Every structure is written in C-alpha cells, then in structure tokens.
Amino acid sequence: MGPVLVRDADPADLPRIAAIYDEQVRTAISTFDLVPPPVDQWAAKVGSTRPGDHFLVAQDDGVLGFAYSSTYRPRPAYDRTREVSVYLDEAARGRGLSRLLYAELLARLRAEGVRTVLAVIALPNEASEALHRGCGFERVGVLPEVGWKFERWIDTALWALSLDPARRGTPPGRPG
Ligand SMILES: CC(C)(COP(=O)(O)OP(=O)(O)OC[C@H]1O[C@@H](n2cnc3c(N)ncnc32)[C@H](O)[C@@H]1OP(=O)(O)O)[C@@H](O)C(=O)NCCC(=O)NCCS
C-alpha cells in the first residue's frame, strides 16, 4: 500500500469507478440506483467541463475511491449550488480517504465561488453522516420514506455546507 494521491479522474478510471459504485448499487442503500448505470453515465460526469463539476479519484497502486460534485437541480438559479458524493472501495474505508477527497473537492468549490454544497444521505449511514459533520456540513432536514429499496422505505437526510466567505469559521446555520 503506497502513498495516496488525489487527482482528477480520467477515462482510464471508468471501469474501477463503475465497479466501486456497482457494488453499492447491489448491496447498499447509499445509492438509490437499483441497477448499475451504464458506463457512459460515468464518462459524462468525468468529462464534464461545466463550472463547479469536478470528479476526483484517490489512488495508491490503483483507484481506491472517488468523489464528485454535480448539478443539484438543472434550473439556472441553482448554478452556484453543488451536490457532492463520495464512494470508497470497501477495503479502503476507515483510513480517512473520504476526508482527503473532500478537502480537495471543497477547496475547488470554494475557490470557484460556489455558495452552498449539499449532500443527500440515505439513512442509516453513520460513516457518511460523521464524514459530512466533520467537514462542516449541517444536517438541515430529513425527507421521510422517499426511497424504496430492498423491500423497505428509506429516509434521506439533507446535509448543507455554506461556503459564504463571510461565514468562514462559523458553523453553517448559526448566527454569525
Ligand atoms: C461513507 C464513506 C465514504 C466514508 O469514508 P471513510 O473515509 O472510510 O470514512 P471513515 O471510516 O474514516 O469514517 C468517517 C467518520 O465516520 C466515523 N464512522 C465510521 N463508521 C462509523 C459507524 N459505523 N458508526 C459511527 N461512526 C462511524 C469514523 O469514526 C469517522 O469519524 P471521524 O472523522 O470523526 O474520525 C465510506 O464509508 C463509503 O464509501 N461508504 C459506502 C458509500 C457511501 O455510503 N457513500 C456516501 C453516500 S452519501
């Protein structure tokens, strides 16, 4: 196990990205996909040049996981809001790699003037909630029973991080 590098994803990473994600599609509620998406879908995300879209991988000898930012909703008034997601290979969890990926991703979004970063977390997911809390996100709401997977209803929690420079150092949602 060598040193871990965080870098932009490239098309050669697509099979590993798909494999890491597809394992979650089949076994977990972290994604509401029910069947593995076509690789083209990942190719479009990796290749996106839209401002505020980034796709990063963490790698040592191979790709260990990925994090990306994308459109929250397509209408243009949402343009300075981004939604983020992170997935690690099972064997790469518990080493702080998601923090490493988010540090780079959030720094890029801050530098671009993104105002609010959102994460949607299907419950329960203690590791993901702890990660987002640790990165300064605040749990701003729960949408009850919006997902149906593995024969049960699933809630999602909405987590938000303000990148407003005037609120730097102030936990989001608190008077500052
Ligand atoms: C969520 C995920 C990205 C976290 O990645 P990670 O780098 O391995 O995170 P860690 O295991 O280091 O845990 C992050 C934090 O959660 C805590 N944590 C981990 N598992 C936990 C558990 N079962 N209960 C409570 N806390 C837990 C860790 O102690 C750590 O807290 P700290 O930052 O305060 O030390 C990873 O578990 C993953 O890829 N899961 C599957 C996909 C997924 O759920 N993605 C998120 C979709 S919203």
Side-chain angles (χ1 to χ4, degrees), residues 24 30 86-89 92-99 120-122 125-128 130-132:
Q24 289 289 290
S30 64
V86 56
Y87 291 87
L88 299 180
D89 185 275
R93 294 182 202 152
R95 290 163 50 192
L97 298 185
S98 57
R99 281 263 201 162
V120 178
I121 304 178
N125 191 337
E126 281 158 355
S128 184
L131 163 70
H132 288 85

Coordinates of all heavy atoms in Angstrom, one line a residue, residues 24 30 86-89 92-99 120-122 125-128 130-132, ligand 1:
Q24 N -22.1 -1.0 -4.5 CA -23.1 -0.3 -3.6 C -24.5 -0.4 -4.2 O -25.4 -0.5 -3.4 CB -22.7 1.2 -3.4 CG -21.4 1.4 -2.6 CD -21.7 1.0 -1.1 OE1 -22.4 1.7 -0.4 NE2 -21.2 -0.1 -0.6
S30 N -26.8 3.3 0.0 CA -26.1 4.6 -0.2 C -26.5 5.2 -1.5 O -26.3 6.4 -1.7 CB -24.6 4.4 -0.1 OG -24.1 3.5 -1.1
V86 N -19.5 10.7 -2.5 CA -18.2 10.0 -2.3 C -18.4 8.5 -2.1 O -19.4 8.1 -1.4 CB -17.4 10.6 -1.1 CG1 -18.3 10.6 0.2 CG2 -16.1 10.0 -0.9
Y87 N -17.6 7.7 -2.8 CA -17.7 6.3 -2.6 C -16.3 5.7 -2.6 O -15.4 6.1 -3.4 CB -18.4 5.7 -3.9 CG -19.8 6.0 -3.9 CD1 -20.3 7.2 -4.5 CD2 -20.8 5.1 -3.3 CE1 -21.7 7.5 -4.5 CE2 -22.1 5.4 -3.3 CZ -22.6 6.6 -3.9 OH -23.9 6.9 -3.9
L88 N -16.0 4.9 -1.6 CA -14.7 4.2 -1.5 C -14.9 2.7 -1.6 O -15.9 2.1 -1.2 CB -14.1 4.5 -0.1 CG -13.8 5.9 0.3 CD1 -13.2 6.0 1.7 CD2 -12.9 6.6 -0.7
D89 N -13.9 2.1 -2.2 CA -13.9 0.6 -2.2 C -13.9 0.1 -0.7 O -13.3 0.8 0.2 CB -12.5 0.1 -2.8 CG -12.5 -1.4 -3.0 OD1 -12.1 -2.0 -2.0 OD2 -12.8 -1.8 -4.0
A92 N -10.9 0.1 1.3 CA -10.2 1.4 1.5 C -10.8 2.2 2.6 O -10.4 3.4 2.8 CB -10.1 2.1 0.2
R93 N -11.9 1.7 3.2 CA -12.6 2.6 4.2 C -11.9 2.6 5.5 O -11.1 1.7 5.8 CB -14.0 2.0 4.3 CG -14.8 2.2 3.0 CD -16.3 1.8 3.1 NE -16.8 1.5 1.8 CZ -17.7 0.7 1.5 NH1 -18.3 0.0 2.4 NH2 -18.1 0.5 0.2
G94 N -12.2 3.6 6.3 CA -11.7 3.7 7.7 C -10.3 4.2 7.7 O -9.6 4.2 8.7
R95 N -9.8 4.8 6.6 CA -8.4 5.4 6.6 C -8.5 6.9 6.3 O -7.4 7.5 6.1 CB -7.6 4.7 5.4 CG -7.3 3.3 5.7 CD -6.9 2.5 4.4 NE -5.9 3.2 3.7 CZ -5.5 2.9 2.4 NH1 -6.1 1.8 1.8 NH2 -4.6 3.6 1.8
G96 N -9.7 7.5 6.4 CA -9.7 8.9 6.2 C -9.6 9.4 4.7 O -9.4 10.6 4.5
L97 N -9.8 8.5 3.8 CA -9.6 8.9 2.4 C -10.8 9.7 1.9 O -10.6 10.6 1.0 CB -9.5 7.6 1.5 CG -8.3 6.7 1.7 CD1 -8.3 5.6 0.7 CD2 -7.0 7.5 1.7
S98 N -11.9 9.6 2.5 CA -13.1 10.4 2.1 C -12.8 11.9 2.5 O -13.1 12.8 1.7 CB -14.4 9.9 2.7 OG -14.3 9.9 4.1
R99 N -12.2 12.1 3.6 CA -11.8 13.4 4.0 C -10.8 14.0 3.1 O -10.8 15.2 2.8 CB -11.1 13.4 5.4 CG -12.1 13.2 6.5 CD -12.4 14.6 7.1 NE -12.9 14.4 8.5 CZ -12.9 15.4 9.4 NH1 -12.4 16.6 9.1 NH2 -13.4 15.2 10.5
V120 N -26.9 14.4 0.0 CA -28.1 13.7 0.3 C -27.7 12.3 0.8 O -27.1 11.5 0.1 CB -29.0 13.5 -0.9 CG1 -30.3 12.7 -0.6 CG2 -29.4 14.9 -1.5
I121 N -28.0 12.0 2.1 CA -27.5 10.7 2.7 C -28.7 9.8 3.0 O -29.6 10.2 3.9 CB -26.7 11.0 3.9 CG1 -25.5 12.0 3.6 CG2 -26.2 9.7 4.6 CD1 -24.7 12.4 4.8
A122 N -28.8 8.7 2.4 CA -29.8 7.7 2.8 C -29.5 7.1 4.2 O -28.4 6.8 4.5 CB -29.9 6.6 1.7
N125 N -26.6 5.8 7.7 CA -25.3 5.8 7.2 C -24.4 6.6 8.1 O -24.1 7.7 7.9 CB -25.2 6.3 5.8 CG -23.9 6.0 5.1 OD1 -22.9 5.8 5.7 ND2 -23.9 6.1 3.7
E126 N -24.0 5.9 9.2 CA -23.3 6.7 10.3 C -21.9 7.2 9.8 O -21.5 8.3 10.1 CB -23.1 5.8 11.5 CG -24.3 5.7 12.3 CD -24.4 4.5 13.2 OE1 -23.6 3.6 13.2 OE2 -25.4 4.4 14.0
A127 N -21.2 6.4 9.0 CA -19.9 6.9 8.5 C -20.1 8.1 7.6 O -19.3 9.1 7.8 CB -19.2 5.8 7.7
S128 N -21.0 8.1 6.7 CA -21.2 9.2 5.9 C -21.7 10.5 6.7 O -21.2 11.6 6.4 CB -22.2 8.9 4.7 OG -22.3 10.0 3.9
A130 N -21.0 11.1 9.8 CA -19.9 11.6 10.5 C -18.9 12.3 9.6 O -18.3 13.3 10.0 CB -19.2 10.4 11.2
L131 N -18.7 11.8 8.4 CA -17.8 12.5 7.5 C -18.3 13.9 7.2 O -17.5 14.9 7.2 CB -17.7 11.7 6.2 CG -17.2 12.4 5.0 CD1 -15.7 12.7 5.2 CD2 -17.5 11.7 3.7
H132 N -19.6 14.0 6.8 CA -20.1 15.3 6.5 C -20.1 16.3 7.7 O -19.7 17.5 7.5 CB -21.5 15.2 5.8 CG -21.4 14.6 4.4 ND1 -21.3 13.2 4.2 CD2 -21.3 15.2 3.2 CE1 -21.2 13.0 2.9 NE2 -21.2 14.2 2.3
Ligands
LIG1 C1 -19.1 7.0 3.7 C2 -17.6 6.7 3.3 C3 -17.3 7.5 2.1 C4 -16.7 7.2 4.5 O1 -15.4 7.0 4.1 P1 -14.1 6.7 5.1 O2 -13.0 7.6 4.6 O3 -13.8 5.3 5.1 O4 -14.7 7.2 6.4 P2 -14.2 6.7 7.8 O5 -14.4 5.2 8.0 O6 -12.8 7.1 8.0 O7 -15.2 7.4 8.7 C5 -15.5 8.7 8.7 C6 -16.0 9.1 10.1 O8 -17.2 8.3 10.4 C7 -16.9 7.6 11.6 N1 -17.6 6.2 11.4 C8 -17.2 5.3 10.5 N2 -18.1 4.2 10.6 C9 -18.9 4.5 11.6 C10 -20.0 3.9 12.2 N3 -20.4 2.7 11.8 N4 -20.7 4.5 13.3 C11 -20.3 5.7 13.7 N5 -19.3 6.4 13.1 C12 -18.6 5.8 12.1 C13 -15.4 7.5 11.7 O9 -15.0 7.3 13.1 C14 -15.0 8.8 11.1 O10 -15.2 9.8 12.1 P3 -14.1 11.0 12.4 O11 -13.9 11.7 11.0 O12 -14.8 11.8 13.4 O13 -12.9 10.2 12.8 C15 -17.4 5.2 3.1 O14 -17.7 4.5 4.3 C16 -18.1 4.6 1.9 O15 -17.6 4.7 0.8 N6 -19.3 4.0 2.1 C17 -20.1 3.5 1.1 C18 -20.6 4.5 0.1 C19 -21.3 5.6 0.9 O16 -22.0 5.4 1.8 N7 -21.1 6.8 0.4 C20 -21.7 8.0 0.9 C21 -23.0 8.2 0.2 S1 -23.9 9.6 0.9

